[in-house]
Amino acid sequence: MSELVPEPRQKPAVPMKPVGINSNLLGYIGIDTIIEQMRKKTMKTGFDFNVMVVGQSGLGKSTLVNTLFKSQVSRKSSGWNREEKIPKTVEIKAIGHVIEEGGVKMKLTVIDTPGFGDQINNENCWEPIEKYINEQYEKFLKEEVNIARKKRIPDTRVHCCLYFISPTGHSLRPLDLEFMKHLSKVVNIIPVIAKADTMTLEEKTEFKQRVRKELEVNGIEFYPQKEFDEDLEDKTENDKIRQESMPFAVVGSDKEYQVNGKRILGRKTPWGVIEVENLSHCEFALLRDFVIRTHLQDLKEVTHNIHYETYRAKRLNDNGGLPPVTAETEENHESNL
């Protein structure tokens, strides 16, 4: 019988150092298709964008929003009657509208606040607005903590608040300062000077500088906040907006006129037509590009990652670290027992 020869002991495996992969060697992987995948998904599902407009009556809030989105999306489309009396208290009116462009659907909601700033005593008139904003955070939070939560939570959170400043050419009203001081902590505020065509170019420039100075002196931050700039490119772009454009001096109009053989949106005056999209006339085009074409996604992200998370953390902290109990979570808990 032959003897069994023991097998040689194997040396322990030595972990190999990671080796850089030469993409030319392996060929095309396809990572860059994620952008197209995201685009297709967005085109299928659409996305939510919720804009709140705040300011005293007569500043053209509805007209400006209609001009921004080139649709009758504000109060006119809801059958609002302009003969209607000013509400005795601040009301909240949300109007939904679906806008489609290039195959992408946007579920736009415009939240109007009739009655704001129109009373003899406007003390604490921002409270119903703050309450509404927080209610939308609460609604989203309750959907998140449900055991059987929806695949896609309806987003009614306010992503952007356009605050309309009266074109007085003097100083901000105490109400303006109080509103922005309270609400800038819970929502993205973008200040705009309404009906800017009532001021000369010199008056407009001086007023914009005065408003920026007053906001700075009072410690009021508007969107885009400096601490949320993600990189040097963001900082450079946003610094220019903060130092030159804010607050946007705008004119809104949903009427067309013939000017030099072209159809343009404008406002007719005894001395000519104020062209809404002409930067030498007003800054409407800058506001539109800012809100829709360059910062719309960031407005949504800051709302979710900063304002909503701040609200969520406070609610969980107040509740001892536990999620708020809803009727649905109680029902689901009982059914699992």
Side-chain angles (χ1 to χ4, degrees):
M1 182 181 289
S2 60
E3 294 184 7
L4 293 174
V5 180
E7 292 183 7
R9 293 178 63 188
Q10 293 183 349
K11 294 181 180 180
V14 178
M16 294 178 64
K17 291 182 180 179
V19 178
I21 297 175
N22 186 332
S23 59
N24 293 328
L25 177 65
L26 297 181
Y28 175 69
I29 300 171
I31 297 171
D32 58 349
T33 62
I34 185 66
I35 303 299
E36 180 61 18
Q37 294 172 44
M38 291 166 67
R39 189 186 73 85
K40 284 182 178 178
K41 190 167 185 180
T42 302
M43 289 179 72
K44 283 181 183 178
T45 60
F47 64 95
D48 300 300
F49 189 56
N50 308 315
V51 180
M52 175 177 273
V53 290
V54 181
Q56 66 189 86
S57 60
L59 292 180
K61 300 187 296 294
S62 303
T63 302
L64 183 78
V65 172
N66 289 338
T67 314
L68 265 179
F69 297 101
K70 301 199 176 196
S71 301
Q72 296 294 312
V73 297
S74 197
R75 286 191 279 189
K76 291 179 184 178
S77 60
S78 68
W80 183 80
N81 183 5
R82 290 188 177 275
E83 303 299 320
E84 190 177 297
K85 290 182 181 179
I86 294 171
K88 292 183 180 179
T89 57
V90 177
E91 296 179 2
I92 308 291
K93 294 186 177 182
I95 302 156
H97 199 83
V98 175
I99 298 175
E100 186 168 352
E101 187 176 64
V104 178
K105 288 182 182 178
M106 178 171 74
K107 297 164 188 174
L108 174 70
T109 300
V110 177
I111 303 106
D112 200 357
T113 55
F116 177 85
D118 295 329
Q119 313 304 321
I120 295 173
N121 180 7
N122 288 305
E123 187 178 2
N124 298 335
C125 66
W126 60 82
E127 287 182 351
I129 296 170
E130 186 174 19
K131 180 173 179 283
Y132 176 86
I133 292 169
N134 284 329
E135 282 173 349
Q136 308 320 303
Y137 291 146
E138 183 70 15
K139 189 185 294 184
F140 196 89
L141 176 58
K142 286 179 177 177
E143 287 287 354
E144 269 197 331
V145 301
N146 280 334
I147 294 171
R149 64 182 182 181
K150 297 173 183 175
K151 185 178 179 182
R152 186 172 181 269
I153 300 174
D155 191 359
T156 61
R157 297 170 297 181
V158 180
H159 301 121
C160 168
C161 173
L162 296 177
Y163 186 78
F164 286 70
I165 298 167
S166 183
T168 61
H170 303 300
S171 299
L172 289 172
R173 299 176 303 165
L175 176 60
D176 299 328
L177 294 170
E178 285 298 315
F179 177 89
M180 287 189 270
K181 193 177 291 183
H182 281 83
L183 273 292
S184 61
K185 296 178 178 66
V186 298
V187 71
N188 296 317
I189 289 183
I190 298 176
V192 297
I193 298 171
K195 297 192 172 180
D197 55 320
T198 60
M199 296 184 288
T200 65
L201 291 176
E202 293 77 14
E203 287 171 340
K204 183 175 71 175
T205 301
E206 288 176 9
F207 189 42
K208 281 164 68 77
Q209 291 172 348
R210 190 175 295 118
V211 169
R212 284 198 295 267
K213 187 66 177 174
E214 287 188 69
L215 292 175
E216 183 183 345
V217 168
N218 286 274
I220 298 168
E221 289 197 348
F222 48 80
Y223 177 86
Q225 297 91 329
K226 291 179 183 178
E227 63 266 35
F228 303 153
D229 293 342
E230 293 185 353
D231 51 38
L232 184 59
E233 185 182 353
D234 273 2
K235 185 180 184 306
T236 304
E237 181 183 358
N238 290 339
D239 274 347
K240 187 176 181 182
I241 292 166
R242 287 186 283 257
Q243 295 164 13
E244 297 176 15
S245 302
M246 292 286 188
F248 295 97
V250 298
V251 176
S253 175
D254 46 14
K255 292 183 179 178
E256 288 188 348
Y257 294 94
Q258 191 88 14
V259 177
N260 298 326
K262 293 181 180 179
R263 300 292 293 176
I264 58 100
L265 283 172
R267 214 169 72 78
K268 197 167 186 178
T269 68
W271 50 87
V273 176
I274 305 295
E275 299 175 34
V276 166
E277 300 197 43
N278 187 332
L279 285 175
S280 64
H281 290 192
C282 78
E283 295 166 347
F284 168 82
L286 291 179
L287 174 65
R288 179 202 56 209
D289 290 355
F290 176 64
V291 172
I292 301 172
R293 300 181 184 180
T294 63
H295 283 68
L296 189 150
Q297 182 59 29
D298 189 64
L299 282 162
K300 289 170 65 69
E301 287 178 4
V302 171
T303 298
H304 181 77
N305 298 328
I306 308 297
H307 297 305
Y308 169 68
E309 280 301 315
T310 300
Y311 177 87
R312 178 178 171 275
K314 185 179 182 304
R315 283 286 283 119
L316 294 178
N317 186 58
D318 292 345
N319 206 30
L322 298 172
V325 177
T326 67
E328 190 171 341
T329 53
E330 283 185 337
E331 184 181 321
N332 287 330
H333 177 70
E334 289 172 3
S335 63
N336 290 331
L337 292 177

